[in-house]
């Protein structure tokens, strides 16, 4: 009985120590979420304005190679943004599942998938499954910078500019995690190039621009030349914004996972304490029974001798 009680006490100490660690990691993730959210919010206005400018240019140019879909696309690049560290729940696995779904869809359409990976977790998963990765970036997912996005965007744009017979790609897709709220993060896939033109009605346009007329632009030099310079920046900005949202989502997922781990550890410690108390009570009862039994034996021996 004493050995069992020692086991319970040892497990209680270990569980409480784990709860302290997970609680500290939860607090760290909470502070990092705020920084990541601020970075994403700061990048938002530029992302919206460059999108408006590209939309205005796209309305003037109809045959630009970055806007025109290939007649028979055969190869697509997929950028997958995961995390470098674990203890974030299903953050990376959800992104990888979305990437697998997209890859399956592209293969059904007769397209070869060329994967670009961001994050050690995604690389480890692909290496374990013996899947090929064209290029990879590690150590940037928690604090991404615009320089990181430029490096990734340049690699993708170079492949997009090449002919498919020389190893180029016809499409560029980005699979990342959208930061919806502190409690909700959603893995999603979007096509960065060629640009997808979405049709909206007049009411939606008025609501988007505050009831004002759409701005009229005059382009100098030509709209084609302006688009040549603006589209690479647009793609880089899309990647940068995806990296920022992914960083915020990663910290939110880690915070939720560490909070759940802390709650579970505290509940387990309570259950173990209850079991230890029961074992201690049983041990005390057994000791009392032995004392009473010994006293009865001595009384019976004394009575017999008389």
């Amino acid at each position: 009985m004493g050995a069992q009680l020692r086991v319970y006490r040892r497990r209680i100490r270990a569980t409480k120590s784990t709860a302290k660690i997970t609680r500290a990691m939860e607090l760290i993730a909470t502070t990092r979420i705020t920084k990541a959210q601020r970075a994403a919010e700061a990048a938002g206005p530029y992302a919206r304005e460059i999108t408006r400018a590209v939309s205005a240019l796209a309305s003037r140019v109809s045959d630009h190679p970055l806007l025109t879909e290939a007649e028979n696309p055969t190869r697509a690049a997929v950028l997958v943004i995961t995390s470098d560290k674990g203890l974030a729940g299903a953050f990376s696995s959800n992104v990888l599942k979305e990437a697998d779904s997209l890859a399956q869809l592209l293969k059904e359409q007769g397209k070869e998938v060329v994967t670009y990976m961001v994050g050690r977790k995604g690389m480890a998963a692909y290496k374990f499954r013996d899947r090929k990765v064209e290029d990879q970036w590690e150590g940037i997912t928690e604090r991404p910078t615009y320089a990181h996005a430029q490096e990734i965007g340049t690699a993708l744009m170079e492949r997009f500019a090449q002919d498919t017979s020389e190893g180029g790609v016809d499409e560029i897709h980005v699979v990342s995690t959208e930061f919806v709220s502190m409690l909700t993060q959603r893995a999603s896939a979007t096509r960065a190039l060629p640009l997808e033109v979405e049709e909206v009605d007049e009411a939606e346009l008025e609501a988007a621009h505050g009831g004002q007329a759409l701005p009229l632009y005059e382009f100098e030099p030509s709209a084609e030349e302006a688009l040549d310079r603006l589209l690479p920046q647009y793609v880089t900005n899309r990647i940068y914004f995806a990296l920022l949202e992914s960083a915020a989502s990663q910290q939110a997922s880690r915070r939720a996972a560490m909070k759940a781990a802390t709650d579970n550890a505290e509940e387990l410690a309570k259950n173990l304490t209850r079991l230890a108390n029961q074992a201690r009570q049983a041990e005390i009862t057994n000791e009392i029974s032995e004392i009473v039994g010994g006293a009865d034996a001595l009384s019976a021996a004394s009575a017999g001798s008389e």
Side-chain angles (χ1 to χ4, degrees):
M1 191 66 68
Q4 185 180 13
L5 184 59
R6 285 194 295 273
V7 170
Y8 283 138
R9 287 174 175 172
R10 184 167 61 249
R11 291 185 62 188
I12 290 171
R13 287 195 298 270
T15 304
K16 289 183 177 180
S17 177
T18 301
K20 290 179 181 179
I21 295 172
T22 55
R23 177 61 178 168
M25 295 182 69
E26 177 189 347
L27 295 175
I28 293 172
T30 301
T31 58
R32 289 180 177 176
I33 291 172
T34 304
K35 295 180 181 179
Q37 277 186 297
R38 289 175 180 171
E41 291 173 357
Y46 179 77
R48 287 190 293 271
E49 290 304 319
I50 195 172
T51 300
R52 291 182 64 186
V54 169
S55 299
L57 283 167
S59 65
R60 299 290 187 90
V61 181
S62 59
D63 57 350
H64 194 278
L66 298 184
L67 302 177
T68 306
E69 296 189 28
E71 294 183 1
N72 296 308
T74 58
R75 188 178 290 113
V78 178
L79 176 66
V80 184
I81 302 176
T82 62
S83 65
D84 287 310
K85 298 180 180 178
L87 301 177
F91 174 79
S92 293
S93 61
N94 288 339
V95 176
L96 294 175
K97 288 178 182 178
E98 186 68 23
D100 289 342
S101 299
L102 176 61
Q104 183 64 30
L105 177 62
L106 293 174
K107 290 178 181 178
E108 290 176 356
Q109 296 174 354
K111 302 172 186 176
E112 178 187 352
V113 178
V114 181
T115 303
Y116 291 80
M117 185 65 65
V118 177
R120 295 189 181 95
K121 287 299 178 179
M123 277 304 306
Y126 271 52
K127 185 177 180 180
F128 178 77
R129 293 171 175 80
D130 197 22
R131 296 180 179 178
K132 182 181 177 181
V133 174
E134 188 71 18
D135 203 350
Q136 66 185 73
W137 294 269
E138 297 180 357
I140 66 173
T141 58
E142 290 196 352
R143 296 179 179 86
T145 64
Y146 194 78
H148 296 142
Q150 279 184 318
E151 181 181 351
I152 298 171
T154 300
L156 292 173
M157 291 296 295
E158 287 178 355
R159 292 297 296 272
F160 188 80
Q162 291 178 353
D163 190 83
T164 52
S165 61
E166 300 175 355
V169 297
D170 298 309
E171 299 175 358
I172 296 177
H173 299 262
V174 179
V175 181
S176 61
T177 305
E178 296 179 5
F179 184 86
V180 180
S181 66
M182 292 287 287
L183 301 176
T184 305
Q185 299 84 42
R186 181 173 57 245
S188 63
T190 57
R191 194 178 77 178
L193 288 177
L195 292 178
E196 294 181 300
V197 179
E198 298 181 358
E199 295 184 0
V200 296
D201 57 27
E202 186 176 351
E204 291 177 337
L205 284 175
E206 291 181 357
H209 297 277
Q212 300 177 359
L214 292 175
L216 297 177
Y217 293 97
E218 291 185 2
F219 301 102
E220 180 64 33
S222 65
E224 290 80 2
E225 294 182 28
L227 199 58
D228 286 336
R229 290 175 175 250
L230 198 58
L231 269 175
Q233 296 183 25
Y234 169 76
V235 173
T236 299
N237 183 263
R238 288 283 298 270
I239 294 173
Y240 181 52
F241 197 71
L243 287 171
L244 292 176
E245 280 207 318
S246 180
S249 300
Q250 178 186 163
Q251 297 301 336
S253 297
R254 182 169 290 115
R255 175 185 174 276
M258 291 300 98
K259 185 179 187 306
T262 303
D263 295 341
N264 290 337
E266 291 176 351
E267 184 65 24
L268 179 58
K270 290 180 182 178
N271 294 334
L272 290 172
T273 301
R274 189 179 302 111
L275 293 174
N277 291 336
Q278 292 175 356
R280 178 58 181 160
Q281 290 173 0
E283 184 178 356
I284 293 173
T285 302
N286 187 48
E287 292 175 355
I288 293 174
S289 299
E290 291 177 354
I291 293 173
V292 172
D296 290 343
L298 289 174
S299 298
S302 299
S305 63
E306 292 178 357

